[in-house]
Amino acid sequence: QVQLSESGGGLVQAGGSLRVTCAASGRTFSNYAMGWFRQAPGKEREFVAAIRWSGGSTYYADSVKGRFTIDRDNAKNTVYLQMNSLKPEDTAVYYCALASKLVLNPRSATRYDYWGQGTQVTVSS
């Protein structure tokens, strides 16, 4: 069993920055990749960013490239999402996810088998 705990969400003005954190905990588990997804009211959940645990390869949605950065701390089983130049359209609940099996497509939500409770990010104009 794996538990994911997100933190760092909040209210920020457009153009500002925010960093959300996700820590994974459990008895014993394999970590192949961790990612961030977001869901705005009335919209589908969408991919934001992901990172492969072993090699550290990163993946980003086109909408956040150049603004968001995902990073990991292997020893702590923790991922960070640094969000800069935030826009009102970034407003959403941000969910952390972990894949305990090989991930061929880190951008697909179906590849992740553990999910956090989500943290609200609100960007005001």
Side-chain angles (χ1 to χ4, degrees), residues 6-30:
E6 301 110 326
S7 62
L11 175 64
V12 65
Q13 291 184 236
S17 298
L18 207 61
R19 187 176 79 160
V20 289
T21 299
C22 176
S25 62
R27 268 72 175 177
T28 303
F29 61 91
S30 297

Side-chain angles (χ1 to χ4, degrees), residues 10-16 86-92 121-125:
L11 175 64
V12 65
Q13 291 184 236
L86 283 162
K87 305 174 181 179
E89 48 263 46
D90 294 318
T91 295
V121 172
T122 303
V123 184
S124 64
S125 58

Side-chain angles (χ1 to χ4, degrees), residues 5-75:
S5 180
E6 301 110 326
S7 62
L11 175 64
V12 65
Q13 291 184 236
S17 298
L18 207 61
R19 187 176 79 160
V20 289
T21 299
C22 176
S25 62
R27 268 72 175 177
T28 303
F29 61 91
S30 297
N31 189 348
Y32 283 85
M34 294 184 72
W36 289 94
F37 296 78
R38 67 187 182 187
Q39 187 167 26
K43 297 188 180 297
E44 298 287 335
R45 185 170 298 188
E46 65 175 350
F47 168 77
V48 178
I51 185 166
R52 293 193 186 276
W53 217 248
S54 181
S57 300
T58 56
Y59 307 82
Y60 296 95
D62 289 341
S63 60
V64 306
K65 284 183 179 178
R67 300 189 298 121
F68 291 11
T69 302
I70 189 170
D71 199 7
R72 77 199 195 284
D73 186 326
N74 288 0

